[in-house]
Amino acid sequence: MLSDLADVADTIWVTRSAPVFESGEFTADRGRKVVAEVAARVAEGLPPRSVVSVTGLGHSTLVRKALAAGVLDRHPMFDRLSAGGAWWGEQFEPADAIVWATGFRAALNHLAPLRLRGPGGGIRMDGTHVAGEPRVHLIGYGPSASTVGANRAGRAAARDLRDLLIGAPARSPAA
C-alpha cells in the first residue's frame, strides 16, 4: 500500500517499534511455531503480542522493491498530530493524508486532536476513510478489522488516496 502511494506522493513510514523483516518463507511449520509462541505467552498470563511482532515482515517482491526505493525507511512514532501534519518534538512534517494501520485495535486516542469521534464516541466511517475527512484512513478499524479485510481496505485506501493526491474523482467504497 505505501509503495502505491510513494509513486504519486512523498511518504513517511512511521511505526511504534522497529520492524523485523524475515527472509524465510512462511511455511506451515513456521505458522505452528508462531501459534505456539502466542499460546505460551497467554498461558503465562502475558498479553499476546501483535501478529507481525511474532511473524516478522515477509520479503515479498513488493517489499523488496519498496526497501530498495527507500519507501520503507522507518521513522519512530510522532509525538502528536495536528490538522496539518505530524510533530516529532519541535520538528513538524506537513501531511496531506494519514493512513493509520490500526493493528486491529480501536486505540485511537492519539488522534483526539483531529476531533474525529462523533457524539456516540465512535468514528463514523465511509469506506476506509473517516466520513467527511477523505485524508484520514483507518485500516483495521471497523469492518476492515481482519487480515482479509485489512488487505482489501489497504488496497482501497491506497487507490483512494492516490486519486485524492492526483486530483482524480472519488470512487464509491464498493469500487
Side-chain angles (χ1 to χ4, degrees), residues 105-124 130-131 138 141:
R105 289 179 290 189
L108 301 172
N109 292 340
H110 56 286
L111 298 178
L114 300 180
R115 298 182 182 180
L116 303 175
R117 292 196 184 277
I123 299 174
R124 196 165 59 83
V130 174
L138 303 176
Y141 181 84

Side-chain angles (χ1 to χ4, degrees), residues 16 32 50 65 82 89-90 100 115:
R16 284 188 284 257
R32 284 188 289 276
S50 70
K65 179 182 169 193
S82 66
E90 296 301 314
W100 187 265
R115 298 182 182 180

Side-chain angles (χ1 to χ4, degrees), residues 66-161:
L67 284 166
V71 174
L72 296 181
D73 178 20
R74 181 257 180 189
H75 296 269
M77 186 56 64
F78 45 79
D79 298 316
R80 66 189 187 282
L81 290 172
S82 66
W87 293 87
W88 287 264
E90 296 301 314
Q91 181 182 339
F92 176 74
E93 264 312 313
D96 294 321
I98 295 171
V99 176
W100 187 265
T102 67
F104 309 116
R105 289 179 290 189
L108 301 172
N109 292 340
H110 56 286
L111 298 178
L114 300 180
R115 298 182 182 180
L116 303 175
R117 292 196 184 277
I123 299 174
R124 196 165 59 83
M125 300 295 293
D126 182 4
T128 64
H129 71 83
V130 174
E133 183 46 87
R135 302 174 306 152
V136 179
H137 290 249
L138 303 176
I139 311 307
Y141 181 84
S144 67
S146 73
T147 304
V148 172
N151 285 337
R152 264 191 218 120
R155 285 190 299 274
R159 283 191 309 268
D160 289 351
L161 284 168

